[in-house]
Each structure stands twice: as C-alpha cells, then as structure tokens.
Amino acid sequence: MFALIYDEYDLSKPRKRVISVHRRRDTAEKALDQRMKKLGKRVWECNTRIVWANVNVAAGDFIKTVDFETWRPGEKIPYGDRYPDSD
C-alpha cells in the first residue's frame, strides 16, 4: 500500500508518522497535492512524501524506515527519478 508520511529527513528520527494510506499511487499523489494546497507550501517545504509500505499501517501510525521504500517493487520508476541531478 502507498502511504503519505511526514519525513523531515532527520536520521536521528527513524520513525515516520503516516498521514494517509492509499491503494494506488495516483490517489496518493492527489492526496499529496491537496496537502500542499492546504498548507500553502511546495512539496519539498511540507516534509511529506509518498512511500510504499511493506507492512500494514493506518493513518496516525508510525512506520520505521526499514518498513518502507520509495517505490513499490516492480513499479516503473520515471526516468527523472532514476538518476541524481548532480554528480
């Protein structure tokens, strides 16, 4: 399942709060768009991202970094996300 998580990219905080859970990436992307509009911030400013949860979670739960991945196994990764912008 896809989950929106609150992630400050702080290595000292390995647990991330689950904001919402979705069966498909497109519905998770819509929820992320709504969150950005609600907060009046851009995606990198609202500390929220979409991940694939390897465990069952619900909104309000906390998930450990070992229990999620950026992309679902077997999911086609867009070209722009496969390579870093810098060296």
Side-chain angles (χ1 to χ4, degrees):
M1 75 185 68
F2 292 97
L4 254 63
I5 61 169
Y6 183 76
D7 190 0
E8 296 171 306
Y9 298 97
D10 184 350
L11 296 177
S12 68
K13 298 178 182 177
R15 293 174 13 126
K16 311 298 179 184
R17 185 173 53 87
V18 176
I19 298 169
S20 61
V21 179
H22 308 272
R23 293 178 191 245
R24 300 186 336 234
R25 183 173 285 276
D26 63 332
T27 56
E29 289 173 356
K30 288 177 186 175
L32 179 58
D33 286 341
Q34 289 174 351
R35 180 168 169 79
M36 289 186 315
K37 287 177 186 175
K38 178 182 173 184
L39 296 175
K41 297 181 178 182
R42 292 179 225 139
V43 70
W44 60 86
E45 296 173 324
C46 63
N47 295 326
T48 306
R49 66 181 178 131
I50 300 170
V51 297
W52 173 256
N54 295 318
V55 295
N56 287 331
V57 293
D61 289 351
F62 284 86
I63 188 170
K64 295 183 275 184
T65 55
V66 298
D67 293 329
F68 66 83
E69 302 174 33
T70 302
W71 300 97
R72 181 182 69 193
E75 184 177 17
K76 184 177 179 182
I77 302 170
Y79 180 82
D81 290 339
R82 287 185 275 169
Y83 305 103
D85 292 339
S86 61
D87 293 336

